[in-house]
């Protein structure tokens, strides 16, 4: 039974599946839970296929603990991104059951509840330089928590074009490819020209001068002359993983 | 047999499938054809799963005719985007077998060669306002030429939120959704929160003042708080169609 | 008697209410007081209906103490915004009668002098995400100090559109709505489509990559396709409160 | 009976006011009408208090005629903005009952249906220079069509500060003030310091060099040090009128 | 005798004033001195009427000491701008004869050598808010060191327009006016409309959101509709002082 | 008798020079005249030393004729800037007594009323390239109409540095120098290093690519390392002339 | 004898080669010629190794004819860039001896005076797409006029990476490579990774949306991770040719 | 034997120089080495003439040590740029054989392996102000490590134009000139007008206000009116050195 749209609700009332009072009650409570610091959206996994992930950048340690504590009691994998090493340490002192991934700056929990190998195929993650590694890791850990098969290829930037050419076969066999690159952001163009799989570009804020902040890489990817390429926000490894998961899901 | 990478070439030489001289010859000629005005890439369809499409914006009528004439002799569907009404008329006067789609500003040919219903499912194209229609049409005609099933929903912008809510079921059944929106570019965020399918946002240059040029819509989509959303360049209906085709392809 | 314009002054001279010398003296002294660090504008409350509020961001502790000490001796509520926790502690050590609101980063005093329930109706403050809370709080405390009725609704961003839909009635009964949102800044568009009340959008600097600094949210709000929406500067909860107070005042 | 939210719909079903089938039917048809080129939102006037206005900038003459023809048959005032002189002439040749306002670039119809003097008080529109006049006129005609009392004051820019000072009394008696200014956009700051009424700033694209496009005026208004001021998009006289109407409405 | 241009040099050779070898020697040594960290330009005072001032922002303590030590041995007033409190303390520990002005962030020396009252008249410095004070002070101390008469008026921003109106006479009697303002940068427009003296606008980086960094104030000043106004870089109190000194010099 | 400030007005009332009713009347009428299209500011010449000049860019031919007709009846020189060749022809067909300067795009009238040689000295106008000539001409004609002595030096850009060096003496003898330059805008820096006179930089929109629009030249001038330099808006030859006139005026 | 610096001049005076009066005369006349519309710099070829080229974009037909007429009488090759087809036709009607290159938008003359094969080696010009051809042509014709050997390779963008790989040998044998690319501007990075020759990147304004104007391509090239790459302004084929000529010259 | 392109590889196979299995093996291993944190490209020196240099900005101490340890075992000079003083100290504690250059922020090793005087001539490095010194040093040390002859001229900015004129001869004798400048970035224009050598402009982030970050200097250089000038990214002393080395190499 799919219960997450208002139209469906009325259908159920009509079909006698639920009473009007129940419908009104459902509408009043709606599928989320009100905490002090956040309104958790438990039906989200049903609706979008993706469990809610906590964006930790602007949250305090107290807010994180309250939200994560609630999520750990559900039967979903728990993930919090953009968690600094200090915050992670403080949270883990006061809350059990969380693992910290320092490169990816991610806290995870309930990993035993993660599905395994659920997608149609393999997600390949490619990164251009050593400094793009953390963003690629954020994407990899997110996808793994969601149960997808992932292969990662690092340090294959376009300044030595033979490095990415050596991986042609892996790129052609992927269901979807994530390409993480800073500086001029040229790698996704090259990759999208080598494979029939959809390519998700992730510009990174690696660079200096006019490249600082990642705008150069972002513009490079948006203006690619290769077809089959779409882009997420700068440093948004998590967003790329969600898009890849949506592409790779069965059905 | 997949023959489009250099690694493969050497494998074939090793396996005795082709002689070294043939390999060298292949490498010298490479899988493209040199015209006066463009180097056509016939192997592209094999490599990326997408036939080459002519980007007409900056090309002269003479250049268009030379390229399209060559493409019409191949066994691929022919598509040229960003063709103004005047250019289209001039090209069609001198070259047979082309259809002009004025809303989408597209010239097409060899449509009898188009595959039918090849993808895993249906691509849903959503547009926010009347003025976003041409970009949505560019995407729809491209996808149709590639053989994908497409459903289009128009004029469902967020200022009247009930309009998009009425289409919840269609969005949930799509394999991939393209959302075309100008102004504040908020519609993709709402759509991505309503479906498990991957969503491709296409910002349009519809707007004025700070919205002129489409940057506001682009930034809105890049900064969406909804997961499962990636973005292509402003007004890039063709690029969105290519990404959708890559996502929807079988295998 | 309204005495705050120069035209009025001449009228009073003509009517014999005040002597010319008094008028000249008034003009010379003018309705403000010169401190070392700031020229306090005591007639401002009469002229604009709003007591002067100290913008603390760039002021030193010494400047704050001198200004607040003077304001506390008047019969107006006292408010200082953008006060860090450290500055607040230092000021309160040396000056009595001030309360610190850490979430809102506001110092207040003379709250017993605040009017109660003065406006035409209720101001509803809506915020999109947990991280937008401080800006919403700055607006709420300012409005409360000015004597307005306020209702706050938090964490109802557009990625889960049902969350804001559940508050339709409150939005329709408001005299004015403040909507605080970062990221893509889409929530004000949706809200403005749901109510006949004027909506004030407050973009926040919550975000990263292209969203850092709040420009994406600002542009999103300026380019809204919903009517009845105007915008204040990024993170300017205080400015939104002043606008709301001006809208909600009687007469 | 207020019927425009989904919650209300369910309440009516519960209360026996309408049958479930009717509710479903309502939901299916939803309060808009599907034309070829636009989905007209007839319930909008009930929901937001403002009749739908056609944004004409990017619409063709054919699209305009189809939409306006439908709207003229309703019992609402009809308004289309951003209509060039040529387009207006072509539309009026083929459609009766429309008046063109060349300065404001507005087409209006059904003006006999306009309410008269409906608001709480008077809207004062102030413009800085001769060239800002068209934007001020777009605001004035929109407000008049909605039935509000309007007073307009022109050519009172800050370079001759005595010009605006001479209007102090009018500004103080307004319910809401719209200030239209290009160049440095300083006039709204000065006006907001002279009145207790809420001020809506409208930056215009009047200027050259760094002022071209209106960004300078927009930034000036967003960064005003005067309280009680909010801003709409560049040249958006219509948007300012909607905000003013929302502020001035009774209740 | 004016000796600082190459043309003059040849003239002197022709007139027999100096021998060719002397001319070549002069050209070789040229009117500057080579230190490890800077090439001091002793003839600058003759050529531009202004002694060299050290821009301290990016210089190390060692570089500052080497340069200031050399300058203190000349018979010019010594000035170093953009010196933090820490740097100033370190320099003064190791070098005698320097005074630190903390508000202006300026180090000065040889003040007994400063001329007194040298210009044609008085320079009036106006600042809009408390936070603009440091930039105004940098200008005032620079002008005083150069020997000009200065009057400063603070905290007269446009939100309370009567405050600046009260100073009309001082503005009309100035030889040149410097106006320092952040936020919307509107004050120079108002001042330039009140006086026949040339006005130099100095935008400051005071502000937040879109005003952060001072671009809003800069654009406001560049786009002023008042004549007789020119602008220097953001926070450039020193540059404004140099321009004012050049305007105020006799001859 | 100086009558243009409100303070003065009260002084005159006090001194018995005018009656209160006269003062009120004066205040009511204020020193400007209300036309249909513009509020002419006749006291401006007294207040700022500069007659009002019509900014023609956004004005229609009808507006220009109405304003210029009124101004021609005063005893001031008449000037209208940014007048295209077509507009000028249309205006001159219907209004006598105007001269058109096509290079400068200026209409002038009442030139027999212009003062002669009124300033303290000579204004030198320097331009970098052939294409900067029109902006320099706008400045020259404005200054000449105001009665100032002007010398113009053209085509002395920094790519051939000896060209400007040859004019060292003229630069050193100027009272004020205007430097007009597009592209990289480096010439004002060089000139300001060669003279003790104040230098006004005018960036022009000459250039292409990143230089298009004049931002590169503007930034170059704002960031000059030479003291004694201030800047006006891009292409603002008129503004530079007003600043130069204010600097060069006696007293 | 090298005579183009002022230091040299004095040396010659000292050595008795020329009299002082001659030196002064030389300095007064300086090595340029004053026309009405431009100061021609005849010594430029001696000083910088490159004859003066007329930048035609902002020049009128009359200005072009005056300048080109003078240049044609010298013994240098004559070149004018950015000449539209219409302007070229008008100039050629009134002036003999000029050839127009429509693709490159260049007028040339005195080509029989061009040197042949003067450089150290060959300049290779690479362009990414059909639309980049005009900029590449501007570079090629400029270099040919200067006497350099040029090879051009077109339509080898990174979306089909094998296309540029096929030219590896040509790139490795070049003395200098010019790479012309719009869109994402990735080709120079790939080329610079394939050759030891210095690479000059020329971004073009080919593109749309965020790529319009060429900023995306410019940023991509500036942020390249490949060493041995420098960049000229957008569409500046002429500038790239000058840089290449300077690199390729002997000595 | 040149072995670094894929085409060459096939040629060798054909010529019998290597067996197919060897070719496949070569292709599989490819000319780089896979470490945990970086893929070192040992053939780069052969392919581009430049040894790989480590970009240290975003690398951790552990990553630096792993990479540098490997590089020190090769027979190439080792260079790491953008290394802070703290990082350098930590690396040198754990790894022998490295020298730190604090001004240039460079770590170098294997300097005994550096070639001596390998280029065609001398590279002249010019910097405008004291604060540009570090970027100039990064370029100088890189070039010296590569074996090129370098001359450096410091503190010759355009505000005192005679300073750079005194170095005319050195500039004319250079094979290539690097010009490092912040602020308005005008020095490269002047230098390029004084020499026939190619000039590489390096904008620096020295400045404040609108000059902060180096964009002003970058735009100044891109828009230079002097021919023979190309630009690298802001603060990219290393990139300028690579370009200079490529220009200066023999052959």
């Amino acid at each position: 039974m799919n219960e997450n749209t208002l139209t469906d609700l009325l259908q159920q009332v009509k079909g006698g599946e639920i009473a009007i009072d129940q419908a009104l009650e459902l509408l009043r409570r709606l599928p989320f839970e009100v905490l002090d610091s956040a309104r958790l959206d438990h039906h989200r996994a049903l609706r979008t296929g993706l469990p809610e992930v906590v964006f930790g950048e602007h949250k305090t340690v107290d807010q994180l603990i309250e939200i994560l504590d609630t999520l750990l009691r559900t039967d979903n994998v728990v993930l919090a991104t953009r968690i600094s090493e200090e915050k992670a340490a403080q949270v883990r002192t006061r809350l059990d059951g969380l693992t910290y991934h320092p490169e990816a700056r991610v806290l995870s929990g309930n990993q035993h509840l993660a599905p395994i190998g659920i997608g149609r195929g393999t997600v390949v993650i490619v990164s251009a330089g050593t400094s793009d590694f953390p963003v690629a890791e954020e994407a990899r850990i997110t996808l793994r928590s969601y149960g997808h098969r992932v292969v990662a290829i690092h340090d294959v930037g376009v300044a030595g074009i033979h490095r990415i050419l050596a991986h042609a076969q892996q790129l052609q066999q992927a269901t979807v490819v994530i390409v993480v690159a800073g500086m001029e952001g040229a790698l996704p163009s090259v990759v999208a020209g080598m494979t029939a799989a959809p390519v998700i570009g992730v510009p990174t804020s690696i660079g200096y001068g006019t490249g600082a902040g990642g705008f150069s890489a972002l513009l490079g990817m948006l203006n690619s002359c290769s077809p089959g390429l779409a882009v997420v926000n700068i440093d948004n490894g998590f967003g790329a993983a969600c898009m890849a998961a949506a592409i790779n899901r069965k059905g």
Side-chain angles (χ1 to χ4, degrees), chain A residues 118-188:
Chain A
I118 60 166
R120 293 187 289 130
T122 299
V123 182
V124 173
I125 300 177
V126 177
S127 69
T130 309
S131 312
D132 302 316
F133 185 65
V135 175
E137 272 298 278
E138 189 185 87
R140 193 182 63 83
I141 287 174
T142 302
L143 280 163
R144 284 276 298 279
S145 298
Y146 288 172
H148 293 269
R149 275 177 295 267
V150 188
V151 167
I153 304 170
H154 296 298
D155 209 28
V156 290
V158 299
I161 196 69
H162 53 289
R163 295 186 292 190
I164 185 65
L165 292 178
H167 294 279
Q169 212 155 23
Q170 280 171 298
L171 296 173
Q172 284 164 3
Q173 289 165 353
T175 309
V176 48
V177 183
I178 293 173
V179 185
V180 182
M183 311 291 280
E184 78 268 63
L187 188 57

Side-chain angles (χ1 to χ4, degrees), chain A residues 11-75:
Chain A
Q11 291 282 9
Q12 292 162 31
V13 173
K14 192 191 170 192
E17 291 179 60
I18 59 173
I20 286 182
D21 272 332
Q22 285 176 299
L24 269 174
E25 180 57 24
L26 273 171
L27 215 54
R28 209 170 304 121
R29 287 188 305 125
L30 272 170
F32 46 80
E33 187 176 328
V34 180
L35 301 180
D36 268 15
S37 51
R39 202 172 281 237
L40 292 177
D41 187 353
H42 294 326
H43 282 208
R44 183 199 192 82
L46 288 179
R47 203 171 67 247
T48 66
L50 301 170
E52 183 153 32
V53 169
V54 182
F55 178 63
E57 181 107 36
H58 304 276
K59 295 209 174 57
T60 63
V61 168
D62 284 345
Q63 290 174 329
L64 286 172
I65 287 172
E66 186 193 0
I67 300 173
L68 291 172
D69 191 21
T70 305
L71 288 175
L72 282 169
R73 295 166 204 275
T74 67
D75 51 358

